[in-house]
């Protein structure tokens, strides 16, 4: 029997492809809330056993419990991706619990608010952002790769950002996400002949707890998106499930923009020139 959950973060079943990941085992980092939590639920809903890891083990445990209550297979574990031993322990836990590892989702990140002047940025803040956001996925991928090779259908899905492709602020965060896109390509070239696919998703603005108290900012941002809204965690979770599955068996080394058209269409500029052209 392969347990499954029903639905997504809002309780709906829209977009679900039940059973597509039957027999798969996945490890997710930073999965205690937001995109990571939605992705854990989505992978479980499609049949995967998931190890939900987070720096905050309480959050990870809550997500895993929700999945089990809906009939899915899930365990939780505290994991600091900045600690090599913790990363290796998480990979070992997943393999021991599920007997295999097919999918790694690198979602954990760290960022800090830019100093008003670039010259006032500190080495400590810069190093922290890069260590968690870029070197963390490096550590996790290194530890997981032998098991992903052994699975015969291994996949790594990195969660990047549109910040890695265009300026939206955040010096260290943007540099780390751009670096993660580069690592995705080089690792895809290395791991492809070994049967492992490596891809990256670049989300636009996603409505998560990180925006708590700034709902007015999200409302203003909606007008910049051609599709008229900011993203939801489930939008990213759906893309992860696709890239993890055999539906994406001939896709590797790509950056998949899941951004509501933000990078393809300069909505603000179009509105500005439209106003100019309509002026008397």
């Amino acid at each position: 029997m392969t347990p499954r959950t029903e639905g997504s973060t809002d309780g709906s079943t829209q977009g679900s492809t039940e059973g597509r990941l039957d027999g798969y085992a996945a490890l997710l980092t930073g999965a205690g809330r937001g995109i990571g939590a939605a992705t854990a639920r989505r992978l479980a809903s499609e049949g995967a056993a998931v190890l939900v890891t987070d720096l905050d083990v309480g959050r990870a445990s809550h997500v895993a419990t929700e999945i089990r209550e809906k009939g899915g297979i899930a365990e939780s574990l505290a994991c600091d991706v900045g600690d090599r031993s913790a990363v290796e322990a998480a990979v070992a836990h997943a393999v021991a619990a599920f007997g295999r590892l097919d999918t790694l989702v690198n979602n954990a990140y760290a960022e800090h608010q830019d100093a008003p002047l670039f010259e006032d940025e500190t080495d400590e803040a810069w190093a922290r952002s890069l260590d968690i956001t870029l070197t963390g996925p490096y550590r996790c991928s290194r530890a997981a790769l032998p098991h992903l090779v052994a699975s015969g259908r291994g996949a790594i899905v990195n969660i990047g950002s549109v910040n890695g492709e265009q300026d939206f602020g955040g010096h260290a965060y943007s540099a780390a996400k751009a670096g993660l896109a580069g690592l995705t390509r080089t690792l895809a070239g290395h791991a492809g002949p070994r049967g492992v696919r490596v891809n990256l998703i670049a989300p636009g603005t996603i409505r998560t707890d990180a925006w708590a108290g700034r709902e007015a900012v999200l409302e203003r941002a909606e007008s910049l998106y051609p599709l008229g809204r900011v993203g939801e965690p489930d939008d990213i979770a759906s893309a992860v499930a696709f890239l993890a599955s055999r539906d994406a068996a001939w896709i590797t080394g790509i950056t998949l923009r899941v951004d509501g058209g933000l990078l393809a269409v300069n909505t603000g500029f179009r509105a500005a020139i439209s106003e100019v052209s309509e002026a008397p």
Side-chain angles (χ1 to χ4, degrees), residues 28 43 60 69 74 78 98 114 125 128 136 150 168 182 187 206 215 221 224 237 243 245 254 275-276:
L28 303 92
L43 298 185
E69 287 175 346
F98 307 136
D114 287 343
R128 171 68 177 170
F168 294 100
L187 188 52
I206 305 298
E215 288 76 12
L224 300 177
L243 289 176
S245 77
I254 70 161
E275 292 173 2
V276 169

Side-chain angles (χ1 to χ4, degrees), residues 21-29 43 48-53 73 75 77 79 86-106 137 139-157 194-197 244 246:
L21 298 177
D22 278 353
Y24 279 63
L27 188 161
L28 303 92
T29 68
L43 298 185
V50 297
L51 177 59
V52 182
T53 76
I73 301 172
E75 295 201 8
L77 190 71
C79 182
V87 165
E88 292 175 348
V91 170
H93 186 106
V95 173
F98 307 136
R100 60 185 300 123
L101 183 61
D102 305 279
T103 305
L104 169 66
V105 181
N106 286 312
R139 292 187 186 101
C140 293
S141 299
R142 179 179 59 191
L145 191 55
H147 304 285
L148 298 174
V149 170
S151 84
R153 58 188 182 192
I156 298 172
V157 184
R194 303 169 71 187
V196 176
R197 298 178 298 103
R246 298 303 293 172

Side-chain angles (χ1 to χ4, degrees), residues 9 37 54 67 85 97 108 113 144 154 162 172 176 185 226 229 236 243 253 268 278:
T9 54
D54 198 279
I67 290 171
S85 62
Q113 186 172 0
V162 292
R185 292 187 289 270
R229 66 174 177 88
I236 308 306
L243 289 176
E278 292 174 1

Side-chain angles (χ1 to χ4, degrees), residues 2-5 15-22 41-48 238 241-242 245:
T2 302
R4 304 184 184 95
T5 60
S16 179
T17 309
E18 200 171 278
R20 181 166 57 170
L21 298 177
D22 278 353
R41 296 185 185 103
R42 178 59 185 259
L43 298 185
S45 78
E46 297 200 22
S238 298
F242 164 67
S245 77

Side-chain angles (χ1 to χ4, degrees), residues 112-122 171:
H112 65 276
Q113 186 172 0
D114 287 343
L117 294 176
F118 183 74
E119 54 267 36
D120 293 331
E121 291 285 333
T122 67
H171 302 300

